[in-house]
Amino acid sequence: MPILSRGAAEPPDWDTFKVSFDAGKAPEAGRPVPSTEAARRGGLFQTCANPACGSGWLHLWRSRSAPVFEGGWNCSAGCTASRLALAVGRELDGRAGAQEGHRHRVPLGLVMLEQGWITNGQLRQALDAQKQAGAGRLGHWLVRQQGVSEQLVTRALGLQWSCPVLPLEFHDAEALTALVPRLFVDAFGALPLRVAAGRLLYLGFEDRLDPVVALAVERMSGLRVESGLVRGSLFRAAHTRMLTQSFPPVELIDAGSEAAAVHALSRSVERARPVESRLVRVHDCLWLRMWRRPQPGPLPERAGVQDLVCSIGAH
Ligand SMILES: [Zn+2]
């Protein structure tokens, strides 16, 4: 599903309404074009997306350039706040139920032993070294101390996580920074690798997948995300390179409570008056993305989006 069809992202103003109404443009699949949606309902004006909105038509007429959140237009700051409160509640509810990727995995050493890629002796020595150092992953010690090939370690990690090992050719880090806040690349080790066919995003990790981040990026970008592992040394070089690039502007907020988060998020939406905005949860953060203008293709323009990442105290 295209995340932001051009029509859907256009600000709901009179001209848009007229043009698309006159042209009889069909709503894009999955998300109705706001202007035709208004026409379909037979009203002259946008309908506020807040189900509890009590504004009269004159107010709706006056505020027709108001911000859009999750495909719906909000007629007032109060309605924006109501809708953000619902969205924050929805995202935080999901947190309680989600078993975040903690399931039993065959230890890496056993995978490699089973495949015949290492010997018992190599495994025992690498485990000893890891124990003595009190740091470093087993794969690191197998490569560093036992001379095991890094490629084999990555292949074994791929078996362990049942995921592909992704190549890292033609990595256009600069073009891909528009997809996620720098924080996610830095703190969660998620590396956007490539967009294929305009609808599939390959997301690389070094030694473990992060399904929570992958799902968040998928929901936010509208691209299907395929996660995989990248050979350690290649990953680290590309990761470092990507962090030197420019990312969309981001505001980081530490909210003490759910109410404080709602307040900060809705204030930000009201201030930016985006043509579209969305909220998703990523671990203990809420990620709000605002599009200041319609997205030209599968990748947003870096200057056309702005992010807000809000952490909500201890839970
Ligand atoms: Zn309203």
Side-chain angles (χ1 to χ4, degrees), residues 48-50 52-55 59-60 73-76 78-80:
C48 175
N50 174 22
C53 176
S55 295
H59 177 77
L60 297 180
W73 168 70
N74 312 301
C75 80
S76 64
C79 286
T80 300

Side-chain angles (χ1 to χ4, degrees), residues 36 42 53 62 69 71 77 100 102 122 149 158 161 170 174 186 195-196 200 231 240 245 251 261 272 274:
T36 35
C53 176
R62 274 203 309 266
F69 175 66
E100 301 200 332
H102 198 85
Q122 283 178 311
S149 115
W161 286 88
F170 317 112
E174 199 189 348
D186 199 4
V195 172
L200 179 63
R231 211 172 112 191
T240 306
Q245 307 291 325
E251 195 181 347

